[in-house]
Amino acid sequence: MAFVITPEPPLAAWLIALKAQMTRAPGFFDGRPVIVDFSQLSPGSEGVSTLLTDIEALGISVIDVENIGEIPGADPWKRPLVGGRPGAVVEIKPREVAKPEPPQPMPGLIVEDHVRSGQSVLFPKGDVTVLGSVSSGAEILAGGSIHIYGTLRGRALAGAQGFGRARIFCRKLEAELVSIDGFYQTAEDMSPDVRGTAAHIWLAAGRIMIAPQK
Amino acid sequence: MAKVIVVTSGKGGVGKTTSTAAIGAALAQSGDKVVVVDFDVGLRNLDLVMGAERRVVFDLINVIQGDAKLHQALIRDKRLENLSILPASQTRDKDALTSDGVAKVIAELREKFDWVLCDSPAGIERGPAMAMHHADIAIVVTNPEVSSVRDSDRIIGLLDSKTERAMRGERVEKHLLVTRYDPARAARGDMLKVEDVLEILSIPLLGIIPESQEVLKASNVGVPVTLNNPETAPARAYQDAVRRLRGETVPMVIPQERKTLVERLFGRRVA
Ligand SMILES: Nc1ncnc2c1ncn2[C@@H]1O[C@H](COP(=O)(O)OP(=O)(O)O)[C@@H](O)[C@H]1O
Ligand SMILES: [Mg+2]
């Protein structure tokens, strides 16, 4: 799948907007082939001869151009569309939940996939590691700590059977609720400073503490 | 090999029925044998959108209960002879959809057609479960707003755990279809961005269908939008989605607001 972008004059402003978009959504173009449509530009448009270089300088891979006409500097890009990469997002592998083995060492539960809205993962015996994201409306309940390598949008309840030293880690905090040893904090009470960050959550003197990971 | 596709979403009113009709017709236009099956027992709609409502005699439930043969319930489209519809019952209860009955009907449809498209009802209960159970492919229809995205996420979880394929340890191939995308509202920030929807749902994007009056016009005359006026923006977006479904690489265009020349000039003058 390729994306088509259609630059419009003035190009300087357009490039700034594109850059802003990429800061807002890093990874949006990541590795995805992009086609540049020149239909809104003419050979005289200011900055047109360096446009493709400017776009590539932002880390976007231009695989083709459209409606190019006689625009200078674009020739090297007039190449045929070659094997676009698959869709926006990586295909997800079948969910495999590692079966806990008999004790020693203390086994953790590894969830290889996303945990979707409406699903809960319950593991009173120990730690839970999720390789994907935890959706809004999904929940992880662990006797030990919880590690989430994707975004935590749902609920994470660690130390659920009275283990105050349990912790929660996630790559991006957008949680509805986090809890350790029965103490909890809802989205509403979370400081805006930690939302969206890679967060580390622990319990200190009966209070939920949240800080960005160092 | 026939492919069974479920068109599903969790939430109602997002465009499942519209998309089933549009995609079914577009698939049939290239000569494949296609059937669209209405699973929305009690709230049937697909017959109306396909313009077949005046020719319904038997329905899915009649076939399941053995009151009619499959070929008696299938209605052939007036425009495309290789496109058929299997209507739902408007009067029966959805509990009449027995697992065995549905399995038999789907197996028979697989023999007769290249594509079997199942239009799912909303929700997560029996109706949607039956509609998705035999699917090889799921088209998850989502509007760019939070409640629709969350419901789709829920449905993806069910596709990965409750379907026949999931139970065999295989996967249902899942595709995201973003519908009713309104470029003006997107520009104002009143809607989720497509990239945010993609990030949350993490399944490949099949297409982006713009919000358009053409969809209403087509459904009012009972013609799938891809047949009614193939040149319109939603029809083209559906045609592109169908090409991607067939495995072609088609560039994804995010619908933009089309400004008239006057608006452009005016916009520049004030700027
Ligand atoms: N792209 C679109 N633009 C405008 N209206 C649409 C679009 N898609 C669907 N609709 C309208 O939205 C309503 C719900 O669509 P429908 O396909 O019946 O949804 P569902 O089957 O998911 O309940 C209908 O009135 C339909 O005409
Ligand atoms: Mg419907």
Side-chain angles (χ1 to χ4, degrees), chain A residues 34-38 52 62-68 74-79:
Chain A
V34 165
I35 297 171
V36 181
D37 176 0
F38 276 77
L52 290 170
V62 176
I63 52 156
D64 203 4
V65 292
E66 280 181 1
N67 303 314
I68 189 82
D75 276 317
W77 274 274
K78 285 189 190 170
R79 47 196 174 208

Side-chain angles (χ1 to χ4, degrees), chain A residues 98-167:
Chain A
K99 287 260 158 43
E101 278 141 22
Q104 219 194 48
M106 183 60 192
L109 177 77
I110 298 175
V111 180
E112 309 241 357
D113 204 348
H114 300 286
V115 182
R116 300 284 182 177
S117 190
Q119 297 179 328
S120 20
V121 173
L122 308 178
F123 190 65
K125 280 199 200 136
D127 291 3
V128 173
T129 305
V130 180
L131 302 191
S133 295
V134 177
S135 295
S136 158
E139 138 184 293
I140 311 290
L141 194 142
S145 297
I146 298 175
H147 308 260
I148 298 164
Y149 283 86
T151 304
L152 170 58
R153 299 191 176 87
R155 301 169 154 230
L157 300 94
Q161 294 190 315
F163 182 55
R165 280 184 295 138
R167 300 185 182 201

